[in-house]
Amino acid sequence: MNTTHHVFLSPHLDDVALSCGGMLHQLVQSGQTVQVITVFAGDPPSAPLTPFAHRLHERWQTDPVGRRAEDIEALRCLGAEGTHWPYPDAVYRRDPLTGMALYATEESIFGAMVAADAGTVASIAQPLSRIDPTAQVIAPLSAGHHVDHQLLRAAGEALGRELSYYEDYPYVETPERIEAVLRVGRWAAKAIPLSEEAIRAKVAAILAYRSQLSTFFADATEVEPRIRAYAQRVGGEVGPAERLWRVC
């Protein structure tokens, strides 16, 4: 059987499972080679946490060490293994010259990338350039405008190779967020039908990110119906699906 090397680029320790865990599971089950690279999976710097980051840790009841453990468990549900890169999340990054926090509020992480963070794109693009040139690389579309999603997409595009883009869930539950991205350029969509097994694996993987559930869901019981509802919206008459996008 011919196999393709698929590399999924995840900004954070949950994005791939949330956004395209079903198709990842199906690729693994079909014998394809799958790699998940989570880029912003590093520890915070030694400087004290900002009040914003401290509030997040209190809500999560864990830190990046605990989140990486959750990711290992989640990817096991999908039958995949992942790689954790050491770049810190936006909520931890500081200006290398002044030491000031780059993104000290929730509003700022959904805004524009600050100038002092521009070097991070080149820094990430360098190791990304070592990905197998024959691999299919799947990057975040950056719907929702989270700065880490924007930055990782920019780093992927800096490679000058053809990319596929996954829809950033749960941001794409709001149609205006994906429409804002698709207004720029010409895009072609490909729906990936999901089996019942794939949906169940995806839900199990999302539930493994226990620290993150309160960020996106009212409680654990809300996960499955919302995942199924969005998959059905994407697939329409063909049944539940996830969707990839390519630039035409």
Side-chain angles (χ1 to χ4, degrees):
M1 178 177 61
N2 293 326
T3 61
T4 301
H5 186 188
H6 302 266
V7 179
F8 289 80
L9 303 182
S10 187
H12 305 118
L13 295 155
D14 61 5
D15 286 311
V16 160
L18 282 163
S19 303
C20 48
M23 72 175 77
L24 188 153
H25 176 76
Q26 290 183 164
L27 287 169
V28 172
Q29 294 303 307
S30 70
Q32 299 294 305
T33 302
V34 177
Q35 179 183 11
V36 179
I37 298 174
T38 304
V39 173
F40 298 104
D43 293 324
S46 57
L49 296 177
T50 64
F52 174 45
H54 184 70
R55 288 196 300 273
L56 290 176
H57 278 221
E58 287 186 329
R59 185 174 73 199
W60 298 340
Q61 291 296 296
T62 192
D63 57 15
V65 174
R67 293 190 64 191
R68 290 193 292 268
E70 290 177 343
D71 188 59
I72 292 169
E73 180 182 347
L75 293 182
R76 189 179 296 122
C77 294
L78 299 174
E81 295 184 1
T83 302
H84 298 149
W85 283 9
Y87 297 90
D89 189 299
V91 302
Y92 304 132
R93 292 200 297 279
R94 292 179 176 269
D95 188 312
L97 297 179
T98 68
M100 296 293 292
L102 298 182
Y103 307 98
T105 64
E106 185 166 5
E107 293 75 19
S108 67
I109 63 173
F110 292 102
M113 182 179 67
V114 300
D117 212 14
T120 308
V121 174
S123 178
I124 292 170
Q126 184 176 9
L128 286 179
S129 69
R130 296 194 287 271
I131 292 174
D132 179 353
T134 67
Q136 180 180 354
V137 179
I138 304 97
L141 188 61
S142 73
H145 213 243
H146 191 293
V147 67
D148 286 342
H149 293 232
Q150 297 177 58
L151 200 152
L152 182 53
R153 174 177 164 178
E157 291 175 344
L159 303 178
R161 62 189 291 171
E162 186 176 47
L163 303 176
S164 296
Y165 299 88
Y166 61 79
E167 298 183 349
D168 317 62
Y169 186 88
Y171 307 116
V172 289
E173 285 183 311
T174 303
E176 293 79 10
R177 289 177 170 172
I178 189 168
E179 290 166 3
V181 178
L182 299 177
R183 286 193 204 107
V184 181
R186 296 177 58 198
W187 296 87
K190 179 181 179 181
I192 313 295
L194 297 180
S195 67
E196 177 63 21
E197 178 185 347
I199 294 174
R200 289 179 179 176
K202 178 176 183 175
V203 170
I206 294 170
L207 290 172
Y209 296 104
R210 289 172 287 277
S211 67
Q212 303 303 297
L213 291 179
S214 64
T215 301
F216 303 120
F217 303 97
D219 55 45
T221 65
E222 189 182 64
V223 174
E224 183 170 350
R226 276 179 56 189
I227 291 298
R228 289 183 180 277
Y230 187 73
Q232 189 60 54
R233 189 202 307 178
V234 168
E237 293 182 359
V238 304
E242 292 170 340
R243 188 162 45 203
L244 293 178
W245 293 87
R246 286 193 180 224
V247 176
C248 298

